[in-house]
Amino acid sequence: MQTLNIALLQIAPAGTLDGNLKKGDEYCRKAKTMGADIALFPEMWSNGYDIYERPAEIWKKEAVSADSDFVNHFGSLAKQLDMAIGITLLETADGNPHNTMVLFDRFGEKKFTYAKVHTCDFGAECNLTPGDDFYVTDLDTAIGNVKVGAMICYDREFPESARILMLKGAEVILVPNACPMEINRLSQLRGRAYENMLAIATCNYPVTVPDCNGGSSVFDGVAYLPHLDGSRDTCIMQAGEEEGVFVAQLDLGQLREYRESEVHGNAYRRPDKYSIISENKVEHPFVRDDYRYK
């Protein structure tokens, strides 16, 4: 059994950048003692996703560089702990900031810097600059190389996000999150994992954070096993509402064997029939005045 241990840091922010650095450090160390290979933070940890109920001109000043002391601290910590860390931040950019995740491997090397592609433009995130691509990297772990990608919160709402990551080779998708994880959002994650035959690990804030409710989860994407009648539950871990570190044990060997034999993912697709998906037009009833990609 090739077990990849994924720690979801379902923790509440401390209220300051320095406080979040110290608390994040503390909980990464806890994750390591629990056997984690990867530790993942909730969305925009650097300022606790505190962008609602405050003027944008105030919170935009809290953005930090992807090469800041805050981010680099977690790169050094990853090397010290021999554990990959997915740290999240409000990132400085030309113009408005990004909503970003930086993934460090267990040697402290920065593997990618991903900026949220699907910003929530119907709310405060209209003041963010969206990212322009999805990334997959080869992550060295104690059980060998794992292909890891990322999407952030609202990216989950679009099947194209996970599909692109699958087509780029992702076996595991890391998803920082900051919203109520109710049945329909969980169903989206379940669906993305199922249809792409990959694992999706989502880290949310606990219920003590406004508009969040915990429920961090991991879906392994393995719907069928030879010795089972019918399908199985692909949810291998779901946290409660409280603050804490929640570790899921992902059977990577089982997932890889499943990907080599089952019918989803890229096994029987017909991409020559999907040209309408890439057409850049929006028609009734989906026209929105705040859509900014016209």
Side-chain angles (χ1 to χ4, degrees):
M1 182 174 177
Q2 292 180 292
T3 302
L4 183 71
N5 296 317
I6 305 173
L8 306 178
L9 309 184
Q10 185 172 287
I11 55 179
T16 65
L17 181 67
D18 186 58
N20 290 339
L21 184 152
K22 291 177 180 177
K23 185 168 184 177
D25 181 293
E26 174 189 355
Y27 276 85
C28 282
R29 293 178 188 277
K30 287 184 179 181
K32 179 61 180 181
T33 66
M34 297 168 70
D37 297 300
I38 304 171
L40 178 64
F41 282 87
E43 185 175 6
M44 208 184 289
W45 175 251
S46 66
N47 83 332
Y49 196 74
D50 188 10
I51 64 174
Y52 284 87
E53 312 303 330
R54 291 199 298 157
E57 59 266 23
I58 300 298
W59 59 256
K60 285 195 288 186
K61 294 177 182 178
E62 298 170 356
V64 297
S65 167
D67 290 318
S68 63
D69 290 343
F70 175 84
V71 174
N72 288 334
H73 175 88
F74 290 97
S76 298
L77 184 62
K79 182 177 182 179
Q80 179 185 344
L81 298 179
D82 191 36
M83 178 184 73
I85 297 176
I87 182 62
T88 59
L89 64 147
L90 179 66
E91 181 200 2
T92 54
D94 293 335
N96 288 329
H98 292 302
N99 181 342
T100 296
M101 170 184 156
V102 175
L103 180 65
F104 290 101
D105 69 12
R106 64 189 179 120
F107 308 110
E109 178 183 347
K110 187 179 292 184
K111 301 301 291 184
F112 60 63
T113 300
Y114 169 68
K116 187 176 184 177
V117 169
H118 298 98
T119 50
C120 300
D121 293 346
F122 44 83
E125 287 194 0
C126 68
N127 296 288
L128 297 174
T129 299
D132 57 12
D133 202 358
F134 295 94
Y135 305 107
V136 174
T137 189
D138 292 308
L139 190 69
D140 185 294
T141 75
I143 61 169
N145 182 71
V146 183
K147 291 188 175 295
V148 177
M151 54 189 189
I152 297 176
C153 200
Y154 191 53
D155 285 327
R156 160 201 68 244
E157 308 273 345
F158 302 87
E160 294 86 354
S161 305
R163 174 84 1 144
I164 289 168
L165 290 166
M166 179 274 292
L167 291 172
K168 289 186 173 184
E171 299 173 294
V172 178
I173 300 177
L174 303 176
V175 189
N177 191 80
C179 69
M181 292 311 298
E182 41 76 40
I183 185 63
N184 293 302
R185 291 184 174 119
L186 289 167
S187 296
Q188 287 176 322
L189 294 169
R190 185 187 298 275
R192 299 293 91 85
Y194 170 75
E195 67 203 9
N196 292 295
M197 294 197 294
L198 45 70
I200 298 184
T202 303
C203 184
N204 197 28
Y205 286 102
V207 71
T208 53
V209 175
D211 203 36
C212 292
N213 67 342
S216 298
S217 63
V218 178
F219 294 89
D220 71 1
V222 179
Y224 309 106
L225 290 174
H227 62 281
L228 296 179
D229 293 330
S231 62
R232 63 182 281 275
D233 187 354
T234 63
C235 182
I236 61 170
M237 197 280 292
Q238 184 174 349
E241 296 181 335
E242 70 280 6
E243 181 173 80
V245 178
F246 300 90
V247 179
Q249 295 183 321
L250 173 66
D251 187 340
L252 195 63
Q254 175 179 271
L255 175 60
R256 286 172 171 169
E257 183 177 347
Y258 181 78
R259 286 163 63 89
E260 290 178 355
S261 60
E262 264 298 339
V263 300
H264 308 296
N266 199 25
Y268 295 100
R269 291 175 65 247
R270 296 284 306 279
D272 57 311
K273 304 300 181 185
Y274 307 154
S275 59
I276 192 172
I277 291 176
S278 61
E279 292 182 7
N280 191 22
K281 64 180 180 181
V282 182
E283 297 180 341
H284 178 81
F286 304 113
V287 176
R288 303 291 185 270
D289 291 338
D290 53 6
Y291 181 67
R292 52 171 160 169
Y293 310 105
K294 300 172 185 177

